[in-house]
């Protein structure tokens, strides 16, 4: 996290306290966009701990880091034994097909000229990649710095806990809180997650 990001986030006193508590957090592009998309699909609707355990077994079942070829060649029974539902196996295979078919370049370079909204549109054409997964891809695969994923339950609960004593806030109120973090809302989001999970 560079000085510009820290200076912007510290204009929000609550966020300044989170930075002091959790230290520098980064938003950097993933080394492997496909593996990162697989991680987000595995993580869908799971707790952090459950997702981590299933991801580890998924990689073991593949015999190495996820690649489109490994996912498409993997034995479905082994993937199910790793803890993946039949639906998630299908979604992972759909993602593998999308990366392998060459029609859409879903790499950082291929998406570099597209807005965040256009990237979400392109990704959600893949069955099994919804808005939440696409926003995780923006942050964790592409390293986009200004994403506020209010579709994420932990982000919403975290903002309510940190900014409103756990009382409910509307999404409009949460967006207003996040305005103070622009153009680095992905970093603000990371601090909300860090606090929520601590």
């Amino acid at each position: 996290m560079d000085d510009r990001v820290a200076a912007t986030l510290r204009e929000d006193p609550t966020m300044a306290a989170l930075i002091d508590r959790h230290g520098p957090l980064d938003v950097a592009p993933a080394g492997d966009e496909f593996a990162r998309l697989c991680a987000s699909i595995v993580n869908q609707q799971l707790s952090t701990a459950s997702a981590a355990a299933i991801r580890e077994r998924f990689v073991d079942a593949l015999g190495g880091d996820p690649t489109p070829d490994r996912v498409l060649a993997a034995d479905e029974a082994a993937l199910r034994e790793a803890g993946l539902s039949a639906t998630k196996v299908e979604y992972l295979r759909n993602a593998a097909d999308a990366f392998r078919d060459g029609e859409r370049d879903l790499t950082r370079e291929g998406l570099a000229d597209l807005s965040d909204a256009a990237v979400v549109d392109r990704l959600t054409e893949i069955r099994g990649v919804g808005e939440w997964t696409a926003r995780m891809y923006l942050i964790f695969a592409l390293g986009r710095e200004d994403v506020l994923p209010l579709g994420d339950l932990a982000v919403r609960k975290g903002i309510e806990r940190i900014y409103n004593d756990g009382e409910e806030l509307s999404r409009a109120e949460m967006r207003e809180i996040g305005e103070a973090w622009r153009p680095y809302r992905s970093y603000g989001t990371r601090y909300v997650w860090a606090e929520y999970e601590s």
Side-chain angles (χ1 to χ4, degrees):
M1 184 168 77
D2 69 28
D3 293 343
R4 291 170 305 127
V5 176
T8 299
L9 294 182
R10 283 184 178 282
E11 290 176 18
D12 171 352
T14 302
M15 187 58 63
L18 297 183
I19 293 169
D20 291 340
R21 185 171 308 134
H22 297 287
L25 297 177
D26 203 8
V27 173
D32 182 332
E33 295 95 331
F34 177 71
R36 188 53 237 183
L37 180 59
C38 287
S40 290
I41 291 171
V42 170
N43 291 354
Q44 290 171 355
Q45 299 180 333
L46 291 176
S47 71
T48 304
S50 296
I54 293 171
R55 274 196 320 272
E56 191 172 312
R57 294 195 300 266
F58 167 58
V59 170
D60 287 346
L62 293 179
D65 290 334
T67 66
D69 289 342
R70 279 183 179 149
V71 169
L72 292 169
D75 178 63
E76 180 160 357
L79 295 178
R80 296 294 307 279
E81 284 172 24
L84 294 166
S85 66
T87 304
K88 281 197 182 173
V89 171
E90 177 198 340
Y91 292 171
L92 288 161
R93 290 193 165 148
N94 292 344
D97 279 333
F99 265 80
R100 202 168 74 167
D101 74 11
E103 281 183 36
R104 298 172 274 224
D105 185 349
L106 300 173
T107 63
R108 192 165 46 261
E109 294 76 21
L111 300 172
D113 294 334
L114 296 183
S115 69
D116 291 350
V119 172
V120 169
D121 287 346
R122 183 167 295 180
L123 287 166
T124 54
E125 290 171 1
I126 304 166
R127 181 170 152 66
V129 176
E131 182 107 3
W132 178 86
T133 304
R135 293 198 181 285
M136 295 305 105
Y137 193 80
L138 285 170
I139 296 171
F140 293 108
L142 304 182
R144 298 277 178 109
E145 294 185 324
D146 195 33
V147 180
L148 181 62
L150 292 180
D152 186 86
L153 180 64
V155 171
R156 294 195 310 276
K157 292 290 184 194
I159 289 173
E160 287 171 346
R161 183 190 297 170
I162 295 161
Y163 286 88
N164 205 40
D165 293 326
E167 297 297 315
E168 195 171 315
L169 290 167
S170 70
R171 290 200 188 197
E173 289 169 319
M174 292 180 197
R175 276 191 288 275
E176 185 62 35
I177 288 166
E179 280 301 305
W181 315 335
R182 271 190 192 273
Y184 304 115
R185 291 180 296 171
S186 301
Y187 288 88
T189 297
R190 292 235 30 222
Y191 282 100
V192 169
W193 273 319
E195 183 69 10
Y196 182 74
E197 290 171 2
S198 65

